Amino acid sequence: MGLPKKLTEMQIKLIIINGSPIGILNLDFELTKEEKKNILGLNYAKDEYINCPLISKEVFLFKNKKFKRIEEILFRCVNQYKNEILKIDNDLRVIHSWATINDNTNHEQHAHKNSFISCVFYVENTGDNKLIFKVEKSTLEKCHYFDYKIKEYNWFNSSAWTIDINKGDIVIFLSDLFHQSINKGKKTMIGANYFLTGEIGTEKHYTYLKI
Ligand SMILES: [Fe+2]
């Protein structure tokens, strides 16, 4: 499958589940000692579910100038995904940004509400950690909900897709896509949600909106 030139240069891997594109990049971008210290020094909470990751209480991490470098790099990647894969010309802005720490913990299935595009950046990763995307039905099952005899799982016959996480991976996806993580190791992640901003639509088509 031919990828857009710029993304090939950035070595983005594209996975498509039910028409929803998931982009995976690894820029070999490492946090500085100071940035790592600042991420690990955040206040973390564990929610009520058993064996869940620690999640930062801070949900607007990028408002802190200490994380500006990370914010800028992720924003560049997300814009590239928006421009080269989604092929839309609307502007984006970051809305939420947070961190999670997993240590043999699992993050239950969820999608990101009040968001358009989501991005996760694995700043540390050791062991066997997986990010799993799920849809209700595969493309084939949407056509006819048969119990197919699958020869080899691919984007058209699968309703779930598992990504093995590596240190430095940046995964970008549409926020409505359900996902979970299963971790038999340790990983630290910085996540961010993005929304459209500026002028959307036209008066001519009765769709003008400024947000
Ligand atoms: Fe998530």
Side-chain angles (χ1 to χ4, degrees), residues 20-78:
S20 195
I22 301 161
I24 307 169
L25 303 106
N26 196 313
L27 305 177
D28 275 337
F29 162 53
E30 278 237 33
L31 296 197
T32 62
K33 270 188 184 171
E34 194 65 19
E35 285 166 337
K36 268 182 211 170
K37 201 180 97 188
N38 290 330
I39 289 292
L40 295 175
L42 294 168
N43 284 319
Y44 286 88
K46 209 170 164 70
D47 66 23
E48 70 267 32
Y49 298 102
I50 297 163
N51 204 29
C52 272
L54 294 170
I55 304 178
S56 66
K57 289 183 180 172
E58 180 61 77
V59 72
F60 305 108
L61 213 64
F62 292 163
K63 282 191 177 172
N64 188 330
K65 283 181 185 163
K66 288 176 186 169
F67 302 116
K68 192 161 184 58
R69 198 176 76 103
I70 305 167
E71 178 187 8
E72 284 177 356
I73 287 169
L74 296 187
F75 193 63
R76 217 165 62 207
C77 295
V78 171

Side-chain angles (χ1 to χ4, degrees), residues 171-194:
V171 184
I172 305 167
F173 52 96
L174 296 181
S175 304
D176 73 323
L177 201 53
F178 275 88
H179 55 281
Q180 67 181 114
S181 76
I182 297 176
N183 305 294
K184 290 181 182 155
K186 293 183 181 180
K187 73 178 193 207
T188 306
M189 184 218 80
I190 295 172
N193 285 333
Y194 300 81

